[in-house]
Amino acid sequence: EHALQLLTQPLNVAALNSLKRLSLKGAPLTSSPPATLAAALSHCQRLNILDLDGSALQELPEVLADMPSLEILFLPGLGLTSVPSFLAKCPQLRMLGVRNNQLETINAQHLPRSLEWLIAANNQLCAIPHVANVQQVRKLMLSHNRLTEKALEPVAGIACLEMLRVASNLLERFPPQLARHPRLAWVAV
């Protein structure tokens, strides 16, 4: 509640600029105009972690791409149907959580090359186009989706992949290319 007040009352630029973590989990952000949230976030230049879990945002503010210190972004339960392309411009983003949304695909061209963790469980994913774009991903959580063996095969092209969770998908069998991945040490099927 305090975090929501900080964003919606007259802007305290000094306080916003000093924030390193901001949790708006469950905050009713639909009651604030999107421009208000975007204006407040534009002052959060030191923010490392932003959690918008269940905040009922209708769309993500593009100002996220201009946050130079943002490393971890949690967007679960927002009803997202796509990952916005501007996230690819987040220079330091290492971890992205988009679980419990309505994603059918995640175009990896919309993800930053710096990404190391992608948490996309509990969606309706059936494809991850251009997944070779995210070579730094080490941990990939894709359980409870609709991925098939063929859709998952390109994941073997992620050089740094160490952990993969793909339980409760539509896998006929585990892709042989992934079984031979040199760095993949932990798999949940």
Side-chain angles (χ1 to χ4, degrees):
E1 188 174 311
H2 177 68
L4 185 58
Q5 288 175 351
L6 185 64
L7 294 175
T8 56
Q9 292 181 353
L11 291 181
N12 180 340
V13 175
L16 291 171
N17 194 37
S18 68
L19 288 176
K20 298 240 181 211
R21 294 174 165 223
L22 180 59
S23 176
L24 296 168
K25 190 173 184 174
L29 295 179
T30 53
S31 61
S32 299
T36 302
L37 177 63
L41 289 175
S42 71
H43 295 289
C44 297
Q45 295 299 300
R46 295 184 181 153
L47 194 67
N48 299 113
I49 302 170
L50 178 58
D51 185 353
L52 297 172
D53 186 353
S55 60
L57 274 177
Q58 300 299 313
E59 61 184 65
L60 296 176
E62 284 194 48
V63 71
L64 293 174
D66 299 324
M67 299 174 75
S69 301
L70 187 62
E71 295 180 13
I72 299 171
L73 179 60
F74 293 121
L75 306 170
L78 298 182
L80 296 176
T81 57
S82 66
V83 172
S85 61
F86 64 79
L87 287 182
K89 298 175 187 171
C90 293
Q92 301 297 321
L93 194 63
R94 295 180 301 109
M95 182 185 293
L96 177 63
V98 290
R99 66 179 172 77
N100 296 334
N101 278 290
Q102 298 168 5
L103 300 170
E104 292 182 6
T105 65
I106 293 179
N107 184 339
Q109 289 180 325
H110 295 179
L111 302 174
R113 293 186 184 274
S114 58
L115 199 67
E116 296 176 11
W117 285 51
L118 177 59
I119 306 163
N122 295 326
N123 280 286
Q124 291 127 29
L125 288 177
C126 49
I128 308 171
H130 311 287
V131 74
N133 191 59
V134 287
Q135 288 296 308
Q136 300 305 311
V137 167
R138 295 180 308 123
K139 296 177 179 13
L140 189 55
M141 285 79 136
L142 301 171
S143 59
H144 300 277
N145 280 293
R146 298 185 322 197
L147 294 166
T148 62
E149 174 188 356
K150 184 174 172 103
L152 201 55
E153 284 174 356
V155 170
I158 300 175
C160 293
L161 190 64
E162 297 170 357
M163 184 182 102
L164 178 64
R165 295 185 66 180
V166 290
S168 298
N169 273 284
L170 301 176
L171 296 176
E172 306 83 22
R173 66 183 186 138
F174 192 72
Q177 303 90 324
L178 276 168
R180 294 188 298 269
H181 194 288
R183 295 191 65 180
L184 189 58
W186 195 93
V187 177
V189 183

